Amino acid sequence: MTDYLHIQLPPDQIRGISSIGLAHMGDAVYELLVRERIVLKANRPVSELHLQAVEQVRASYQSQAYAVIEPLLTEEEAAALKRGRNLNSVKPPKNGNVRDYRRATGLESLFGYLYVQGRLERINELFLAIETALEEQQA
């Protein structure tokens, strides 16, 4: 990611952001990473790019990503992950799995939390771990 997307808020301002706000931010950060990796891997028609992105940002995939990174997290990061996962206001779609949706929200909250701290290197490190582990599982 480049510096023009970089923000770094002071800790008191970060504490003022709700978990759902962090998840909202993290959803965008995570999707941008997915799209970036897909585009850099190969030139494809936009319909294929879209299908690949949708596959990787859906709740069931993000739930698997949650499982990959959970053991890699610091105590502080794990707290941000769990805060997002435990949100009571999160309701999955009618055909969605509650566990997957909650874990996906936790993952997005963590990415949002790291983003507002300006910890882009850590975001990329975790995303690479997800990408590596889940690509190996699919192979």
Side-chain angles (χ1 to χ4, degrees):
M1 294 177 72
T2 57
D3 285 340
Y4 63 85
L5 288 176
H6 183 222
I7 64 169
Q8 188 169 1
L9 301 176
D12 61 323
Q13 195 171 359
I14 293 170
R15 282 190 294 277
I17 301 172
S18 68
S19 292
I20 200 69
L22 292 174
H24 181 71
M25 178 69 73
D27 176 55
V29 171
Y30 188 84
E31 185 163 356
L32 181 60
L33 288 166
V34 166
R35 287 176 178 234
E36 177 184 290
R37 295 306 199 290
I38 289 169
V39 167
L40 293 176
K41 282 184 180 180
N43 286 326
R44 296 196 168 120
V46 72
S47 60
E48 286 182 34
L49 295 173
H50 175 72
L51 289 174
Q52 284 187 342
V54 167
E55 172 71 19
Q56 293 180 38
V57 298
R58 71 180 206 279
S60 60
Y61 191 93
Q62 287 183 343
S63 179
Q64 292 174 43
Y66 177 108
V68 168
I69 64 166
E70 188 176 28
L72 307 175
L73 301 179
T74 66
E75 210 173 293
E76 173 192 0
E77 292 166 347
L81 182 84
K82 289 174 184 172
R83 252 182 68 202
R85 181 198 65 199
N86 294 335
L87 279 171
N88 289 326
S89 61
V90 173
K91 303 287 184 237
K94 289 181 185 177
N95 62 347
N97 175 307
V98 174
R99 179 177 179 258
D100 285 350
Y101 200 73
R102 287 187 175 276
R103 287 170 53 141
T105 303
L107 179 78
E108 292 167 351
S109 292
L110 172 63
F111 273 70
Y113 179 72
L114 293 171
Y115 180 76
V116 297
Q117 287 184 320
R119 295 180 57 200
L120 303 182
E121 193 171 312
R122 181 62 171 156
I123 290 170
N124 283 311
E125 182 181 307
L126 293 172
F127 189 80
L128 180 60
I130 291 166
E131 185 178 46
T132 302
L134 296 182
E135 282 181 0
E136 286 175 8
Q137 284 180 9
Q138 292 175 349

